Amino acid sequence: MWKMNDSFIPPQPGSRYSISGGNLRISQLNKEEDAGIYQCLASNSFGTILSREASLHIAYLEEFKTQRRSPVSVREGQGVVLLCGPPAHMGELTFSWIFNEYPSFVKQDTRRFVSQKTGNLYIAKVEPSDVGNYTCVVTNTVTQSRVQGPPTPLVLRSDGIMGEYEPKIEIQFPDVLAVAKGLTVKLECFALGNPVPSITWRRPDGVPFPRKVDVNKSTGVLEIPYFQQEDAGAFECMAENSRGKNTVKGRLSFYAPPHLVEKPQDVQKAIDESLLWECKASAKPKPSYRWLKNGEPLESFEDRIQVVNGALSISSLTLSDTGMYQCIAENRHGRVFANAELRVIAVAPDFSNSVLKAQTLARQGGDVLIECRPRMSPRGMISWRKGKEALRESHRVSVLDNGSLRISNITKLDAGLYTCVARNQFGVASSAGTLVVKEPTIITSKATQLDVTVGESVVIPCQVSRDPTLDVRFTWFFNEQLINFGSHGGYFEKVGGASAGDIMIRNIQLRHAGRYTCAVQTKVDSASIATDVVVRGPPDPPLDIKVDEVTETTSFVSWSPGPDNHSPVFAYNIQIRSPFSLGWQAAKTVPASLGGQQLSARVVELSPWVEYEFRVLATNSVGTGEPSKPSQKIRTKDTLPRTTPARVSGGGGSRSELVITWEPVPEELQCGPGFGYVVAFRPLGGQSWMQAAVTSPDASRYIFKNESIPPFSPFHVKVGVYNNKGEGPFGSVTTIYSAEEEPSRAPSRVRAKSLSASEVEVSWKPLPWSTSRTRIMGYEVRTTQLNVMRTVGNRTSAVIRGLDPSSTYYIKLKAYNSAGVGPDSAVVNVTTKRPPPSQSPVKVMWNATDSKLILKWDHVKALENESEVMGYKVMYKQSRQSRPSVVETNSTSLELSLPVDEDYIIQIKPVSEGGEGSSSKQITIPRIAGLNLYCPQIRQSLQSPGVDMPSCLFERRS
């Protein structure tokens, strides 16, 4: 059934109201008759419930009643408000204004504003361009219908222009505006004024707006989406121009309709039991509560029915209390419903779903509870029997209020059959079960403490004495956490037999120190024992490394001891690291040996102006622990440099130059910033030194240029060092020579001869190796094709390789030294020889005995453009050798005296004046000890892959 405004809607034939499947259908809606509050009542054999309320509003928008509006006359510069006056309506509206004619709509900006609350158009300062007709357009957002009001003419007065005046706020929000949780609220603020006022928003308490708040600076609208409790409070709108300012204030209050946080649940109770249903809702303001039973208000005429803070309690339930109940939580902003069913039942005792356990096990000396929970309503009386006799209560035997039987300090005599008997006014029922008494489980291992060293293995015992008819389960815990055997890196392993739950810890580590608990459990009882394991290991890293009292070569290092892991520390070591060291290095300290009580030391022999890190390691009888964390980086103080450059040398360069070179001093030896070099030099035999400063620490050379420097003249040179602290020492004096002159003469008697098809030898008469102005470093050989090769030293010949056969080359030479090259020699020409034969030896035959190997092959005939064959090279090696032996012969056969108890690899090449020709394929002669082997049929086919070996004759050696 349905109710409208608390009156039932009677179903009548031909009515506009019809119900289908519980749904209410209204045809031909009428805004006067059908608008209201609707509720549905649903009923069945268990009771009736009332639905939540539904509010029906019928949206409409009527036409404007006024057909014409009077002109609005204002001065230029004056502000004006054009009223919309929307017609009668239901549903949310939106507003816009047409200027003169459609579709020219008024654009909103800092000067013009259309309120979506009143529909009015506000113009802060009228300008001549504003003159015209304005029409208000109203749209219903529900029906999407739209109506236009009559046009309002805006005209300018002719009696002058309005002067400047301070802002006047025309749109302001209410003093207090209540906003529901989760809604979006928009606050409008707009002012008239000349000049056009600016609109700003703020909180009076100075708290900034959260990021979600949007302030439209052009229209002055403040928008707060998803309104929450923390968004409530005071707000202030300020309109300001050059003539003054004006403010309005208001407050947003937060409200929330009820929302259920705890609901009653369907319940089934027995007669005379009590009911307590909690019903709680969150809301602001706080909700009130009321209850319905079967759709009607629940009146607490009886003391046994109470409603306190939404909670419903009913004591001494009767069958008439059965029904459907509803909790209603409500405030002025809404209400919510929660439904629950109460069933009150009356039944005789019944054990069908709660029979006693057929067998209950208990240990001798322990306690046991035998539960008896029959279903009956109302609750009656429960008694117990042992065997056929009624059970009498004693200090050991008691029946609890819920009917369960408790026996303490059990003995063997307590074993037997126990029966629970339940009675109420509707009947009697019973259920029986047997109590079996077992021997107790006792852990025979003693609680102890074990001391072990890292890396050792240890067994923790857990031996028990138990009832032989019971299975026992061992469970181990480490620091109260279950040990999962098979994980933990394989450290833990179970050992022992049926009555032992010992575990072994292999390769024990520091992290394995702690308390180990063995829990023993049977079906009857349980026991446990704890063993403390102390693991001794190398010390933990020292802590709080501090470095101070830093000098040029020392620093003071201190630290705090870390845990010693149950073995006292007897020594500490300090290590240092710098950008120039290969990892961490042992530091030299004072004192040199640091005992276990020493927590500071001075590190010595550091390099000045170098960045260092320090760390400390502790050692005990078990070993040396992990190093501490590195200290903060420190830099030693700077001082005068002490290291001079190594490998001072020089020479070479261009004419009139003295080139001095050295190996730069490494950064770690520069002793401070501003490092550089002082180069001193003087002619050999001179008295005074000339000096030059080289400011780059990475420099490795200095060039002194002076036209007066004679070529190749000796100088004494030394190189010193300096930094911002001052000058350091000079290195030892070295003699070097100034730049020499290029060679002035060319080599003579240049000759060239061909050695082969690809090689030519060039020879010449050398120049004097050294003079007072120059020296010869070697010779440069150049061919026609601009191929260049250089010799080193006072050689008189060179071989040019990689040339083309049967080709003529023109060759010239010139001497060179560090200053450059000399003039060209006379040009000579030479022609390379014809190329060697391209054909390789074929028809290779061999005969082997136990001491000789005889080879034969066909003569290689050179082609017309190739060099004639002058002989052959035979290369042979054992299969295990890397380099072959070579024998030359002028014939086409060769006898080698070789033992044949090894495998041999043979190759043959033709030789001509053009060089060596193509080689035959490799021939493998197998080891044949004790046999004569003759293979005259071996042909060139041996050189083709995949061809079978020819047959050979084997003879037994006599």
Side-chain angles (χ1 to χ4, degrees):
M1 297 179 66
W2 282 83
K3 294 197 302 183
M4 174 187 172
N5 298 331
D6 287 330
S7 297
F8 285 102
I9 301 174
Q12 295 177 356
S15 171
R16 292 188 299 111
Y17 300 94
S18 60
I19 298 175
S20 175
N23 298 326
L24 174 64
R25 180 182 180 87
I26 307 174
S27 59
Q28 300 174 8
L29 280 172
N30 184 292
K31 67 177 185 291
E32 284 82 16
E33 296 179 5
D34 298 327
I37 306 298
Y38 289 79
Q39 279 185 292
C40 171
L41 283 83
S43 301
N44 62 11
S45 59
F46 297 108
T48 300
I49 60 173
L50 191 63
S51 74
R52 63 185 179 91
E53 295 173 342
S55 180
L56 175 61
H57 301 278
I58 301 172
Y60 66 93
L61 177 61
E62 295 184 357
E63 294 288 339
F64 279 88
K65 302 223 182 305
T66 305
Q67 298 301 317
R68 199 170 169 190
R69 293 189 177 180
S70 302
V72 176
S73 179
V74 295
R75 291 178 180 176
E76 181 183 346
Q78 185 179 356
V80 68
V81 180
L82 301 182
L83 304 180
C84 178
H89 64 277
M90 175 58 69
E92 185 178 353
L93 303 180
T94 61
F95 302 92
S96 58
W97 284 77
I98 297 174
F99 178 53
N100 288 329
E101 60 182 19
Y102 181 85
S104 177
F105 285 91
V106 174
K107 293 184 178 178
Q108 298 187 74
D109 51 26
T110 56
R111 197 172 61 86
R112 293 169 294 190
F113 178 69
V114 176
S115 171
Q116 297 303 313
K117 304 296 183 184
T118 65
N120 299 336
L121 170 62
Y122 300 81
I123 304 177
K125 172 189 171 186
V126 174
E127 297 177 353
S129 59
D130 295 325
V131 173
N133 291 322
Y134 290 84
T135 303
C136 179
V137 181
V138 182
T139 302
N140 189 312
T141 60
V142 180
T143 64
Q144 293 300 311
S145 58
R146 176 184 296 180
V147 295
Q148 294 183 10
T152 301
L154 179 65
V155 297
L156 284 182
R157 291 168 53 175
S158 59
D159 54 351
I161 298 175
M162 184 77 171
E164 293 184 353
Y165 63 96
E166 68 179 16
K168 179 186 178 185
I169 297 178
E170 290 289 341
I171 303 178
Q172 35 187 289
F173 50 94
D175 291 340
V176 178
L177 178 63
V179 183
K181 175 182 178 181
L183 293 184
T184 296
V185 60
K186 292 183 180 181
L187 302 180
E188 295 181 344
C189 183
F190 194 78
L192 311 183
N194 185 8
V196 175
S198 62
I199 304 295
T200 57
W201 287 88
R202 74 182 190 93
R203 284 182 179 268
D205 57 9
V207 176
F209 292 127
R211 294 179 61 183
K212 69 176 183 177
V213 174
D214 179 37
V215 178
N216 191 319
K217 293 184 178 180
S218 63
T219 62
V221 175
L222 175 73
E223 181 176 335
I224 307 175
Y226 195 63
F227 193 80
Q228 298 296 310
Q229 176 75 57
E230 59 270 17
D231 297 323
F235 290 81
E236 182 179 271
C237 168
M238 182 172 66
E240 185 176 13
N241 65 9
S242 59
R243 304 300 296 179
K245 62 183 177 181
N246 201 352
T247 61
V248 293
K249 295 180 180 179
R251 176 175 296 276
L252 295 180
S253 64
F254 174 84
Y255 77 83
H259 171 72
L260 286 170
V261 294
E262 189 171 350
K263 305 176 185 179
Q265 303 295 325
D266 294 344
V267 68
Q268 182 173 288
K269 292 284 187 176
I271 291 178
D272 292 334
E273 287 188 343
S274 295
L275 168 73
L276 176 62
W277 264 331
E278 292 285 355
C279 180
K280 293 181 181 179
S282 62
K284 187 170 183 181
K286 288 185 178 180
S288 61
Y289 299 91
R290 55 192 176 93
W291 284 81
L292 304 179
K293 178 186 176 184
N294 294 328
E296 297 295 333
L298 180 64
E299 303 293 346
S300 53
F301 294 120
E302 307 174 57
D303 290 341
R304 66 187 189 92
I305 301 176
Q306 300 289 331
V307 176
V308 179
N309 293 329
L312 171 64
S313 63
I314 306 176
S315 60
S316 302
L317 288 170
T318 67
L319 292 176
S320 64
D321 293 322
T322 298
M324 297 299 300
Y325 289 77
Q326 290 180 281
C327 169
I328 303 175
E330 57 191 338
N331 63 13
R332 64 176 178 268
H333 302 294
R335 61 177 60 125
V336 289
F337 291 73
N339 309 324
E341 179 188 358
L342 170 63
R343 289 190 184 183
V344 181
I345 58 173
V347 293
D350 179 16
F351 282 95
S352 59
N353 293 322
S354 57
V355 297
L356 265 65
K357 291 174 60 177
Q359 186 180 73
T360 300
L361 301 179
R363 72 176 179 88
Q364 186 175 344
D367 299 341
V368 68
L369 180 68
I370 306 176
E371 291 187 341
C372 178
R373 297 182 179 276
R375 179 173 179 262
M376 57 180 174
S377 179
R379 182 161 184 80
M381 184 180 71
I382 292 179
S383 60
W384 284 83
R385 294 198 306 266
K386 181 183 178 186
K388 296 182 179 180
E389 301 291 331
L391 185 65
R392 294 184 178 181
E393 295 189 59
S394 66
H395 67 283
R396 289 194 313 109
V397 181
S398 59
V399 179
L400 305 183
D401 290 342
N402 63 5
S404 298
L405 176 65
R406 183 179 186 86
I407 306 175
S408 304
N409 194 17
I410 297 172
T411 67
K412 290 285 188 180
L413 297 176
D414 292 323
L417 179 67
Y418 289 80
T419 303
C420 175
V421 181
R423 294 181 175 83
N424 69 5
Q425 62 263 44
F426 299 107
V428 179
S430 64
S431 180
T434 302
L435 175 64
V436 179
V437 180
K438 298 288 186 179
E439 294 289 338
T441 303
I442 301 173
I443 297 178
T444 58
S445 301
K446 301 297 182 183
T448 184
Q449 177 175 301
L450 299 177
D451 281 19
V452 292
T453 301
V454 166
E456 295 180 347
S457 296
V458 63
V459 174
I460 305 177
C462 187
Q463 307 281 331
V464 298
S465 134
R466 61 187 176 89
D467 191 302
T469 63
L470 296 176
D471 292 332
V472 64
R473 183 165 66 93
F474 295 91
T475 306
W476 280 89
F477 299 87
F478 172 49
N479 291 336
E480 299 183 359
Q481 298 296 316
L482 177 67
I483 296 177
N484 188 3
F485 293 92
S487 59
H488 300 284
Y491 288 99
F492 299 103
E493 177 183 335
K494 286 185 177 181
V495 294
S499 295
D502 305 351
I503 64 168
M504 174 181 284
I505 309 174
R506 298 185 182 275
N507 188 24
I508 198 167
Q509 302 298 308
L510 289 173
R511 63 179 180 274
H512 296 140
R515 170 159 291 192
Y516 290 81
T517 303
C518 174
V520 184
Q521 189 169 17
T522 67
K523 290 183 178 180
V524 172
D525 60 357
S526 61
S528 64
I529 185 174
T531 302
D532 291 322
V533 176
V534 176
V535 182
R536 306 186 188 278
D540 280 2
L543 308 171
D544 303 326
I545 311 302
K546 296 179 180 177
V547 183
D548 48 21
E549 299 180 21
V550 180
T551 69
E552 295 89 346
T553 59
T554 67
S555 65
F556 189 78
V557 181
S558 61
W559 59 91
S560 300
D564 62 6
N565 294 323
H566 309 290
S567 180
V569 174
F570 64 74
Y572 288 100
N573 292 284
I574 301 177
Q575 293 181 339
I576 58 175
R577 178 172 67 180
S578 75
F580 315 109
S581 63
L582 295 175
W584 291 92
Q585 309 289 330
K588 292 187 177 180
T589 60
V590 176
S593 178
L594 306 180
Q597 302 303 315
Q598 187 92 23
L599 298 179
S600 63
R602 187 168 299 280
V603 179
V604 298
E605 297 187 18
L606 301 175
S607 296
W609 197 247
V610 171
E611 199 173 60
Y612 285 98
E613 293 175 279
F614 300 80
R615 70 181 186 183
V616 183
L617 297 88
T619 303
N620 61 14
S621 60
V622 180
T624 299
E626 292 294 316
S628 68
K629 292 182 179 179
S631 70
Q632 289 187 339
K633 293 180 180 179
I634 61 98
R635 184 183 288 275
T636 51
K637 295 185 176 181
D638 56 344
T639 187
L640 291 174
R642 297 171 292 189
T643 304
T644 58
R647 298 182 184 176
V648 177
S649 183
S654 302
R655 187 188 299 273
S656 302
E657 287 183 347
L658 177 65
V659 180
I660 304 168
T661 61
W662 62 88
E663 188 175 282
V665 175
E667 184 180 348
E668 65 267 30
L669 301 178
Q670 294 173 5
C671 297
F675 183 84
Y677 303 94
V678 179
V679 182
F681 51 93
R682 67 186 180 188
L684 189 64
Q687 296 301 314
S688 61
W689 293 89
M690 291 180 283
Q691 290 189 355
V694 180
T695 59
S696 172
D698 298 323
S700 60
R701 63 189 289 142
Y702 171 74
I703 299 176
F704 175 69
K705 186 174 182 65
N706 193 302
E707 296 298 332
S708 65
I709 298 178
F712 205 56
S713 57
F715 280 78
H716 277 164
V717 174
K718 60 182 179 180
V719 181
V721 289
Y722 72 91
N723 62 17
N724 288 351
K725 282 286 188 179
E727 292 190 14
F730 278 95
S732 58
V733 177
T734 302
T735 301
I736 64 173
Y737 286 81
S738 62
E740 57 195 340
E741 292 181 338
E742 300 92 341
S744 58
R745 296 167 52 196
S748 58
R749 299 183 186 176
V750 180
R751 303 286 186 271
K753 67 175 181 178
S754 176
L755 300 180
S756 69
S758 61
E759 296 175 330
V760 167
E761 183 183 48
V762 182
S763 60
W764 60 89
K765 180 182 179 182
L767 297 173
W769 182 243
S770 178
T771 68
S772 61
R773 301 175 65 87
T774 187
R775 59 180 174 171
I776 303 299
M777 296 177 65
Y779 296 91
E780 186 176 281
V781 184
R782 187 180 296 267
T783 65
T784 312
Q785 286 77 6
L786 299 180
N787 293 330
V788 178
M789 66 174 291
R790 278 190 168 188
T791 67
V792 178
N794 201 19
R795 292 175 55 184
T796 60
S797 65
V799 176
I800 304 174
R801 295 181 171 85
L803 304 177
D804 296 330
S806 304
S807 300
T808 300
Y809 289 90
Y810 295 90
I811 302 171
K812 58 184 177 181
L813 275 74
K814 58 179 73 177
Y816 73 89
N817 61 15
S818 62
V821 296
D824 291 336
S825 70
V827 177
V828 297
N829 64 73
V830 64
T831 302
T832 55
K833 299 183 181 298
R834 288 183 295 171
S838 57
Q839 302 296 315
S840 58
V842 297
K843 298 183 180 179
V844 180
M845 297 181 293
W846 51 272
N847 183 7
T849 66
D850 58 352
S851 60
K852 289 190 299 183
L853 178 63
I854 301 172
L855 298 168
K856 291 184 180 181
W857 60 90
D858 284 358
H859 176 66
V860 175
K861 183 172 179 61
L863 302 179
E864 184 176 348
N865 63 336
E866 297 175 343
S867 300
E868 291 295 331
V869 175
M870 300 167 55
Y872 298 91
K873 278 187 179 180
V874 178
M875 295 160 287
Y876 64 92
K877 67 172 183 176
Q878 295 178 1
S879 59
R880 293 174 297 176
Q881 292 177 330
S882 59
R883 290 190 175 184
S885 300
V886 179
V887 177
E888 295 190 11
T889 178
N890 293 330
S891 67
T892 58
S893 63
L894 181 66
E895 182 178 302
L896 298 173
S897 297
L898 300 173
V900 292
D901 55 353
E902 294 287 346
D903 294 342
Y904 285 93
I905 297 174
I906 306 288
Q907 279 186 294
I908 304 171
K909 287 183 180 179
V911 179
S912 69
E913 66 174 6
E916 296 178 0
S918 300
S919 172
S920 66
K921 294 281 187 179
Q922 285 188 355
I923 301 171
T924 300
I925 299 178
R927 176 180 58 188
I928 312 172
L931 293 176
N932 289 339
L933 176 62
Y934 178 60
C935 296
Q937 304 301 321
I938 294 181
R939 301 292 182 183
Q940 180 65 25
S941 61
L942 281 175
Q943 302 174 11
S944 302
V947 178
D948 293 336
M949 175 76 78
S951 59
C952 298
L953 176 63
F954 295 86
E955 295 180 356
R956 175 66 61 185
R957 185 177 63 188
S958 58

